[in-house]
Amino acid sequence: MTTDQQRILARAAKEITAGQIVNLGIGLPTQLFHYIPPELEVLVHSENGVLGCQLIDDNSEADLEMIDSGGTYIGTRPGASVFDSAMSFAMIRRRRVDMTFMGAFEVDQQGNLANWKIPGKFSPGIGGAMELAQKVERLIVLCSHNDKHGNPKILKRCRLPLTAPHCVSLVITEKAAMQVTSTGLEVVDIADGLSIEELRAATEAELIIDETRVGRF
Amino acid sequence: MTTDQQRILARAAKEITAGQIVNLGIGLPTQLFHYIPPELEVLVHSENGVLGCQLIDDNSEADLEMIDSGGTYIGTRPGASVFDSAMSFAMIRRRRVDMTFMGAFEVDQQGNLANWKIPGKFSPGIGGAMELAQKVERLIVLCSHNDKHGNPKILKRCRLPLTAPHCVSLVITEKAAMQVTSTGLEVVDIADGLSIEELRAATEAELIIDETRVGRF
Amino acid sequence: MTRLNEKHVAIEAAIAQISDGASIMVGGFGSPGTPFALLDELLKQGQKHLTLIKNDANESDIGIGKLISAGRVDRLVTSHIGLNRVAIDEMNAGRLSVEIYPQGLLAEKIRSAGAGHYGFLTDIGIGTEIGEGRQEVECDGQRWAIEPAIHADFALIHADLADHYGNLIYRGTAINFNPLMAMAAEHVIAQTFHIEAPGNLVPEQIHTPCAFVSQVIQVDPATSEQGRRQHDN
Amino acid sequence: MTRLNEKHVAIEAAIAQISDGASIMVGGFGSPGTPFALLDELLKQGQKHLTLIKNDANESDIGIGKLISAGRVDRLVTSHIGLNRVAIDEMNAGRLSVEIYPQGLLAEKIRSAGAGHYGFLTDIGIGTEIGEGRQEVECDGQRWAIEPAIHADFALIHADLADHYGNLIYRGTAINFNPLMAMAAEHVIAQTFHIEAPGNLVPEQIHTPCAFVSQVIQVDPATSEQGRRQHDN
């Protein structure tokens, strides 16, 4: 894991508090498992049909019938349940999952999210992302601030097909934590050592920054 | 139980064969429990959420959380399952119940059935009758041939609100067993000692009777 | 939602969240699965103008029968009230509004809310009196009736076994409408005979995952109709 | 329906009921719950022009991946095929028709067939590319998309434990789509690691009642990918 990813995860972990039900999307969000202390009463939901999954120590002793939605072998913590896919998504559509963390190709200042399809290039299917994005109370995007060519991923308006409109609550990148508000994207925290000008330069979206209130991480 | 009822039940029991899933309606049909030998591999479905119910010997030792849809305390036989009401009716609508036995206020020669409401007089609700009537492959009506005033219950056309149209396969009364066919109500068996003329006189529906083929019961 | 670690509460506090005019789903088919202790507490606290959604009306002197007899219920959404003479009389006298659905449709209308749908499309009851007045839609050349989901502010649930997070396991024919209502209502209060520490229930045996349950209340089988024999047939 | 007492059969006979052109629901999310032994028998018997309905395409060298790689599948109804490079290539080359639904809608479309409905009404995906082209209907002043049920001739199911009547119990995350497909398909073939005599399963713990299951096949975990570790992440 890069230090940028570690910075994102450490910041993201602060959003998780005792008593919550949290869904971790495929990729970087799954790594949040490492940031949830075992004594914290949090149940991790995975949409393939488990509530209360946790990491296992020794993959060679994995239960072959226990994976999360990313295909990682998992164990369960006390209070866990397993269920069918209809029940799993009923939980999502009924807003019984408090929070979900997801990756993004693009996210914009209206809280629109694109993370499932790059036309002509990548279209393996949408999986459970659309229902999670549309229905979970609080969606937190974890992604790099720019793509590998340095182009902004935090946009004025998404150009790729949307996963869901107006669904994102908070975006956490290695450069900033940004909250989606009715007036735009408001910077909550800036990475240590980064100037506001550098952040604006790396971002296409218009950022609302109150220098007196912004934090560091 | 009257001898008329016993005659109906004994005739009805012949319709049940090994390996079937059978639903027994409230009232007389429930008494069919007494006619299913324990060694016969039949599972009785009750729409409150049990497949495989059977009579219990001693009611005073009943499990208070085990009833059938008529409110009788029941036990279960090997191979039984219990489930929620959605599952119970999915089973019915998917035609996974082979046969159901029901009472009737009226039944007619088109196979229409009325057994849930007498306007202005009796309307406690329809319960599970409509879905059973509309979806179960084979619906067998068990009822007295005439009402307590002697009026026919086997009619040319039902006058009461229907439970379901064109749903009845076989009608068994103390006077006859009558099969619903595309051309009308065909008498399969006549009660011992009853003449064809007596049967026709007690019946409003037009009866198709082939004297060379009709049986006795 | 209630936080996982704050769900095990006292019965008075849980029922006190219900106000006059609330809509309440009540589990049970006949006596099994009816949350008698929760209903008795509701009777004691005095909330009125209630809308109840329950398969049946219980008998007149137990369960929701007591609430109906006490004039506390304005509206009942049900499939059959044949065992409750008082409910029938109240209905006929126009004091109790009764809305009747075929039992399996009632179950699916509740489940539909629990699944987060607007409703479902069915052929059940088309062309009969009980199917009249429904919005219909044509799909694939056939007419289908739209059955909208039934929602409620609260669900009162009876389970056999729970843990402190609110995972529920039912027993026997006391399952019936309980898991469906637990998914459907905004606020779900479950009574149970036994409460275990999280981890003591087998994950595959849990019928209602804790995500759907707001509060769990431990009740003693001996203190209510839960332990009473209802009939002798 | 298959009679209760005639359901325990040999794998060859069960799979031989499937003809060319059949539509087949296949349980599993990734490897857990995928009926590998039934799929290997289907591969061996040679049926072609199949329509498969499965959450994902497995990996290219196991499960339905083998059938896709062998050119036996004309159409795949799914939610995600990202782990199967061959399926993506076949789709892009136009040799495999792929129909993609959001995962929870796919589950509910199957469950809707299992419940005997035409379909259900949802707000999921309205206004997005994946929600285009659906019939919509206005209810209570809002537009809802109609999601028709998905039907199939067969379902191939993986359970952990069964009895001879076909009652099924699943384990872990191998539950996933299996109980929904068992309700939905016309003919349901279940493989299981253990078959018990009726009466040895606890009624409350049965996930799929035997009424839905046509045949049960006992399989050895060691003979198929069921017992193989798929990945090491």
Side-chain angles (χ1 to χ4, degrees):
Chain A
M1 217 184 315
T2 66
T3 52
D4 279 354
Q5 289 176 328
Q6 283 168 352
R7 184 187 295 268
I8 293 171
L9 291 168
R11 177 63 186 79
K14 292 188 184 162
E15 303 294 321
I16 303 174
T17 56
Q20 285 184 320
I21 292 177
V22 174
N23 179 287
L24 305 180
I26 296 175
L28 190 60
T30 303
Q31 298 302 320
L32 271 173
F33 269 126
H34 295 283
Y35 291 75
I36 304 173
E39 67 279 9
L40 192 69
E41 288 188 287
V42 164
L43 292 182
V44 176
H45 174 269
S46 192
E47 62 269 27
N48 59 318
V50 53
L51 181 60
C53 40
Q54 66 177 11
L55 294 178
I56 51 174
D57 293 332
D58 182 357
N59 216 26
S60 69
E61 290 183 3
D63 179 339
L64 296 185
E65 299 206 317
M66 285 301 292
I67 62 169
D68 68 9
S69 60
T72 305
Y73 291 115
I74 54 154
T76 55
R77 56 155 285 150
S81 52
V82 290
F83 33 80
D84 69 45
S85 300
M87 176 70 94
S88 187
F89 280 88
M91 220 173 265
I92 291 166
R93 285 187 305 266
R94 287 286 291 121
R95 301 181 192 278
R96 289 340 195 189
V97 175
D98 297 310
M99 198 155 59
T100 187
F101 295 87
M102 277 192 198
F105 299 149
E106 296 176 349
V107 55
D108 70 26
Q109 60 197 46
Q110 289 80 39
N112 296 316
L113 172 67
N115 73 355
W116 76 280
K117 184 176 184 175
I118 302 174
K121 207 168 142 195
F122 178 83
S123 56
I126 194 156
M130 175 177 275
E131 285 151 299
L132 280 159
Q134 193 173 330
K135 293 293 182 181
V136 171
E137 210 55 48
R138 189 163 158 74
L139 188 161
I140 299 177
V141 165
L142 306 185
C143 68
S144 60
H145 204 85
N146 304 79
D147 70 16
K148 56 185 172 186
H149 309 294
N151 302 314
K153 292 174 70 170
I154 319 299
L155 306 178
K156 285 189 173 19
R157 185 166 288 274
C158 288
R159 293 179 272 267
L160 293 172
L162 295 187
T163 308
H166 307 297
C167 58
V168 178
S169 297
L170 185 69
V171 182
I172 301 176
T173 72
E174 77 285 1
K175 293 193 161 55
M178 296 155 282
Q179 194 174 339
V180 179
T181 72
S182 54
T183 53
L185 208 52
E186 192 177 319
V187 175
V188 182
D189 290 341
I190 303 185
D192 283 331
L194 192 73
S195 72
I196 289 176
E197 292 64 39
E198 285 169 320
L199 176 63
R200 286 200 198 274
T203 312
E204 180 192 294
E206 289 162 32
L207 297 176
I208 302 169
I209 307 180
D210 177 347
E211 290 190 44
T212 64
R213 289 175 56 202
V214 78
R216 289 284 173 177
F217 76 111
Chain B
M1 218 186 315
T2 67
T3 53
D4 278 356
Q5 289 176 327
Q6 284 168 352
R7 184 189 295 269
I8 292 170
L9 291 168
R11 177 61 185 81
K14 291 186 184 163
E15 303 294 322
I16 302 174
T17 57
Q20 284 184 320
I21 292 177
V22 174
N23 180 286
L24 305 180
I26 297 175
L28 190 58
T30 302
Q31 298 301 319
L32 270 174
F33 269 126
H34 296 282
Y35 291 76
I36 303 173
E39 68 278 9
L40 192 69
E41 288 188 287
V42 165
L43 292 182
V44 176
H45 174 268
S46 193
E47 61 270 24
N48 58 319
V50 52
L51 181 60
C53 42
Q54 66 178 10
L55 294 177
I56 52 174
D57 293 332
D58 181 357
N59 216 26
S60 69
E61 292 184 1
D63 179 339
L64 296 184
E65 298 205 319
M66 285 300 294
I67 63 168
D68 68 11
S69 59
T72 305
Y73 292 114
I74 55 154
T76 54
R77 56 156 285 151
S81 52
V82 291
F83 33 80
D84 69 44
S85 299
M87 177 69 94
S88 188
F89 280 87
M91 220 174 266
I92 291 166
R93 285 188 305 266
R94 288 286 292 123
R95 302 182 191 279
R96 290 337 196 191
V97 174
D98 297 311
M99 198 155 60
T100 187
F101 295 87
M102 278 193 196
F105 299 149
E106 296 176 350
V107 55
D108 71 25
Q109 60 199 47
Q110 288 80 38
N112 295 316
L113 171 68
N115 72 355
W116 76 280
K117 183 175 187 177
I118 302 173
K121 209 170 141 193
F122 178 83
S123 56
I126 194 157
M130 176 177 275
E131 284 152 299
L132 280 160
Q134 191 173 330
K135 293 293 183 180
V136 172
E137 210 57 47
R138 189 164 159 73
L139 188 159
I140 300 177
V141 164
L142 306 185
C143 68
S144 61
H145 203 84
N146 304 80
D147 70 16
K148 56 188 171 182
H149 308 293
N151 300 314
K153 292 174 68 170
I154 319 298
L155 306 178
K156 283 190 175 19
R157 183 166 288 274
C158 288
R159 294 179 271 268
L160 294 171
L162 295 187
T163 307
H166 308 297
C167 60
V168 178
S169 297
L170 184 69
V171 182
I172 302 175
T173 72
E174 76 286 1
K175 290 191 164 57
M178 296 154 285
Q179 193 175 341
V180 179
T181 71
S182 54
T183 54
L185 208 52
E186 192 175 318
V187 176
V188 182
D189 290 342
I190 303 184
D192 284 329
L194 191 75
S195 73
I196 288 176
E197 292 64 38
E198 287 169 321
L199 176 63
R200 287 198 195 275
T203 312
E204 181 192 294
E206 289 163 32
L207 297 176
I208 301 167
I209 308 181
D210 177 345
E211 291 189 46
T212 63
R213 289 175 55 202
V214 78
R216 290 286 174 174
F217 77 112
Chain C
M1 269 308 284
T2 321
R3 290 182 170 257
L4 289 171
N5 45 354
E6 296 168 357
K7 291 189 182 176
H8 185 193
V9 299
I11 190 166
E12 297 78 8
I15 296 298
Q17 303 170 105
I18 301 175
S19 5
D20 287 355
S23 58
I24 312 175
M25 293 176 171
V26 181
F29 183 119
S31 289
T34 303
F36 288 111
L38 300 181
L39 292 169
D40 286 352
E41 178 63 26
L42 183 60
L43 184 76
K44 203 169 86 185
Q45 293 192 8
Q47 291 88 335
K48 342 178 256 302
H49 302 303
L50 302 173
T51 290
L52 299 186
I53 298 129
K54 185 182 189 295
N55 175 63
D56 54 85
N58 287 126
E59 295 156 61
S60 59
D61 61 338
I62 61 168
I64 72 164
K66 286 184 191 173
L67 290 163
I68 293 168
S69 297
R72 303 265 291 282
V73 183
D74 287 359
R75 186 160 159 261
L76 177 62
V77 180
T78 188
S79 97
H80 199 282
I81 59 171
L83 287 176
N84 186 333
R85 191 64 241 177
V86 174
I88 292 175
D89 292 345
E90 291 292 300
M91 172 176 74
N92 291 338
R95 286 188 295 269
L96 175 67
S97 156
V98 177
E99 204 173 308
I100 285 177
Y101 295 101
Q103 198 166 98
L105 293 192
L106 181 63
E108 283 293 320
K109 285 165 80 73
I110 294 165
R111 194 264 169 201
S112 194
H117 303 325
Y118 173 80
F120 62 97
L121 300 176
T122 185
D123 61 350
I124 295 292
I126 286 187
T128 66
E129 181 186 299
I130 214 166
E132 283 168 13
R134 295 185 293 188
Q135 184 179 348
E136 294 184 4
V137 61
E138 187 169 322
C139 304
D140 295 340
Q142 197 184 324
R143 304 287 303 169
W144 302 91
I146 297 177
E147 282 290 356
I150 294 178
H151 301 269
D153 302 323
F154 289 86
L156 304 182
I157 297 301
H158 170 72
D160 188 61
L161 175 60
D163 66 21
H164 287 102
Y165 288 171
N167 288 302
L168 305 180
I169 293 178
Y170 310 97
R171 203 174 67 73
T173 61
I175 307 177
N176 57 67
F177 284 74
N178 281 298
L180 311 173
M181 291 172 167
M183 292 166 72
E186 281 313 300
H187 192 101
V188 177
I189 303 171
Q191 68 167 47
T192 174
F193 291 150
H194 314 280
I195 302 190
E196 297 277 343
N200 287 355
L201 273 49
V202 178
E204 285 83 358
Q205 294 173 11
I206 291 169
H207 295 115
T208 295
C210 63
F212 293 107
V213 178
S214 314
Q215 266 111 29
V216 282
I217 317 289
Q218 185 158 14
V219 299
D220 181 345
T223 59
S224 75
E225 281 86 358
Q226 224 77 45
R228 208 183 80 176
R229 189 164 308 277
Q230 302 307 337
H231 37 234
D232 296 302
N233 60 331
Chain D
M1 270 306 286
T2 321
R3 290 180 170 259
L4 290 172
N5 46 356
E6 298 170 355
K7 290 188 183 175
H8 184 191
V9 298
I11 192 168
E12 297 79 8
I15 296 298
Q17 301 170 108
I18 302 176
S19 0
D20 288 355
S23 58
I24 312 174
M25 292 174 171
V26 181
F29 185 119
S31 288
T34 303
F36 288 110
L38 299 181
L39 292 169
D40 286 351
E41 179 63 26
L42 183 60
L43 184 76
K44 201 169 89 184
Q45 291 193 8
Q47 291 90 334
K48 347 180 250 301
H49 301 303
L50 302 173
T51 290
L52 299 187
I53 298 129
K54 185 181 187 297
N55 174 63
D56 55 85
N58 287 125
E59 294 156 60
S60 59
D61 60 337
I62 61 168
I64 71 164
K66 285 184 191 173
L67 289 162
I68 293 169
S69 298
R72 304 266 291 280
V73 183
D74 287 359
R75 187 163 158 258
L76 176 63
V77 180
T78 188
S79 97
H80 199 282
I81 59 170
L83 287 177
N84 186 332
R85 191 64 242 177
V86 174
I88 292 176
D89 291 345
E90 291 291 301
M91 172 177 75
N92 291 339
R95 285 188 296 268
L96 175 67
S97 156
V98 176
E99 206 172 306
I100 285 176
Y101 295 102
Q103 198 167 99
L105 292 191
L106 181 65
E108 282 294 318
K109 286 165 79 72
I110 294 165
R111 196 264 170 199
S112 194
H117 303 325
Y118 174 79
F120 62 97
L121 299 177
T122 187
D123 62 352
I124 295 292
I126 285 186
T128 66
E129 179 186 301
I130 214 166
E132 284 169 13
R134 294 185 295 188
Q135 185 179 346
E136 294 185 4
V137 61
E138 186 168 323
C139 304
D140 295 340
Q142 198 184 324
R143 305 289 302 170
W144 301 92
I146 298 177
E147 281 290 354
I150 294 179
H151 300 270
D153 302 324
F154 289 86
L156 304 183
I157 297 301
H158 170 72
D160 187 62
L161 174 61
D163 67 19
H164 288 101
Y165 289 170
N167 288 302
L168 304 181
I169 293 178
Y170 310 96
R171 202 173 67 72
T173 61
I175 306 177
N176 57 66
F177 283 75
N178 281 297
L180 311 173
M181 292 174 168
M183 292 166 72
E186 282 313 299
H187 193 103
V188 177
I189 304 171
Q191 68 167 45
T192 173
F193 291 151
H194 315 279
I195 303 191
E196 297 277 344
N200 287 356
L201 274 50
V202 178
E204 284 83 358
Q205 294 174 9
I206 291 169
H207 295 114
T208 296
C210 62
F212 292 107
V213 178
S214 313
Q215 267 111 29
V216 281
I217 316 289
Q218 185 158 14
V219 298
D220 181 346
T223 60
S224 75
E225 280 85 358
Q226 224 78 46
R228 208 184 82 176
R229 188 165 308 279
Q230 302 307 338
H231 37 235
D232 294 302
N233 59 332

